[in-house]
């Protein structure tokens, strides 16, 4: 079963606006990752945040992690049309037995940025 | 160029006709994995391999086989494909099987249609 669930399922904004996507997960985790998928392509890794971190930045991306609420958010500032893609969070199984090799993806948020 | 290569990219075939989807990586990664992506269900892990000759089931292994005879290759075999295996398939790899601590590198996907 999936560990992470993104919200909203779809998001449509204008260029220049900020886009916020959320990810909730069920069990404790070691780390959480965000990926982007352009239409017809494979997933591309964006950022990894560790369970002892609360916030991380990479360029126009800002990721937060709240382990008490079992949730993470991905903020893309000053969105561009090229940011149009699906965004996925991925988590490990945390403390639920052996988790090596297992990565759990959510259903994704489809972001559309209009010029 | 560091990459994960899947072949074929597209395949339409009929029920029961054995097929193999190849996956090759040129990054000397120990870990490789297969996912399927279906609308509304996100990515689900089929099989993964921690290293040569070591493979394990993911969440949806039924109807699939894998082998890992060489480090760079991890083929996905459908011995008797059925229509419910129509999906978009992704191969991924990383340096080690500690997948929560490192980015996954994905291929561009194989779209399979089983009639």
């Amino acid at each position: 079963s999936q560990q992470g669930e993104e919200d909203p399922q779809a998001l449509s904004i204008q260029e220049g606006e900020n886009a916020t996507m959320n990810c909730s997960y069920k069990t404790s985790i070691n780390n959480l990752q965000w990926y982007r998928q352009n239409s017809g392509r494979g997933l591309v890794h964006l950022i990894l945040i560790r369970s002892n971190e609360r916030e991380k930045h990479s360029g126009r991306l800002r990721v937060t992690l709240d382990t008490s609420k079992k949730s993470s958010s991905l903020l893309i500032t000053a969105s561009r049309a090229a940011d149009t893609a699906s965004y996925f969070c991925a988590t490990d199984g945390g403390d639920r037995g052996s988790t090596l090799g297992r990565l759990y993806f959510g259903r994704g948020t489809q972001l559309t940025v209009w010029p | 160029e560091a990459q994960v290569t899947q072949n074929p990219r597209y395949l339409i075939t009929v029920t029961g006709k054995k097929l193999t989807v190849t996956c090759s990586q040129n990054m000397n990664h120990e870990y490789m994995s297969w996912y399927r992506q279906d609308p509304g269900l996100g990515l689900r892990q089929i099989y993964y391999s921690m290293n040569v000759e070591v493979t394990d089931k993911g969440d949806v292994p039924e109807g699939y086989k894998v082998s890992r005879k060489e480090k760079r290759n991890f083929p996905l075999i459908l011995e008797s494909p059925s229509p419910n295996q129509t999906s978009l398939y992704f191969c991924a790899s990383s340096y080690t099987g500690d997948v929560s601590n490192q980015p996954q590198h994905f291929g561009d996907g194989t779209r399979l249609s089983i009639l």
Side-chain angles (χ1 to χ4, degrees):
Chain A
S1 62
Q2 277 143 324
Q3 164 79 311
E5 291 294 338
E6 292 88 350
D7 171 65
Q9 287 188 8
L11 181 60
S12 186
I13 60 174
Q14 295 288 132
E15 263 189 329
E17 293 180 341
N18 295 342
T20 300
M21 289 156 271
N22 302 298
C23 169
S24 59
Y25 54 90
K26 298 171 187 171
T27 70
S28 64
I29 60 171
N30 295 309
N31 305 307
L32 185 143
Q33 302 178 39
W34 283 92
Y35 287 80
R36 183 187 75 230
Q37 182 183 29
N38 289 88
S39 180
R41 304 299 301 273
L43 280 72
V44 174
H45 182 261
L46 293 176
I47 198 165
L48 182 154
I49 187 165
R50 304 195 184 282
S51 58
N52 61 357
E53 297 175 309
R54 291 297 167 258
E55 188 170 311
K56 200 163 183 179
H57 296 255
S58 177
R60 292 184 297 112
L61 305 181
R62 172 178 167 250
V63 170
T64 62
L65 180 63
D66 186 337
T67 53
S68 67
K69 295 181 179 177
K70 293 187 171 58
S71 69
S72 173
S73 68
L74 170 67
L75 168 68
I76 305 175
T77 59
S79 296
R80 306 165 182 167
D83 294 327
T84 294
S86 291
Y87 293 82
F88 296 86
C89 65
T91 59
D92 56 76
D95 60 2
R96 55 173 188 181
S98 173
T99 60
L100 280 181
R102 299 305 309 277
L103 203 59
Y104 302 90
F105 288 83
R107 294 183 173 86
T109 292
Q110 171 62 50
L111 172 66
T112 303
V113 182
W114 298 99
Chain B
E1 180 190 351
Q3 57 187 3
V4 178
T5 304
Q6 295 179 226
N7 279 297
R9 291 290 315 278
Y10 305 91
L11 179 64
I12 301 173
T13 188
V14 295
T15 299
K17 187 177 181 182
K18 180 179 178 179
L19 67 92
T20 299
V21 184
T22 63
C23 174
S24 179
Q25 49 89 8
N26 63 359
M27 296 168 279
N28 201 35
H29 285 172
E30 289 184 349
Y31 175 89
M32 297 183 76
S33 181
W34 278 103
Y35 294 87
R36 60 178 289 174
Q37 183 177 29
D38 301 288
L41 296 177
L43 275 83
R44 294 178 292 168
Q45 195 171 30
I46 304 171
Y47 270 96
Y48 63 98
S49 170
M50 298 292 276
N51 213 328
V52 176
E53 301 292 1
V54 180
T55 62
D56 275 298
K57 297 177 181 178
D59 289 320
V60 287
E62 297 79 18
Y64 305 95
K65 282 177 59 176
V66 292
S67 68
R68 187 88 184 277
K69 294 185 172 60
E70 308 165 281
K71 200 171 189 177
R72 63 183 294 127
N73 296 322
F74 190 43
L76 179 69
I77 303 157
L78 285 72
E79 295 256 344
S80 183
S82 62
N84 64 12
Q85 292 177 299
T86 292
S87 187
L88 180 57
Y89 292 85
F90 288 101
C91 180
S93 71
S94 59
Y95 285 106
T96 73
D98 186 13
V99 293
S100 75
N101 269 310
Q102 59 198 285
Q104 297 298 295
H105 299 259
F106 280 82
D108 276 337
T110 295
R111 188 168 291 282
L112 280 183
S113 293
I114 316 292
L115 305 178

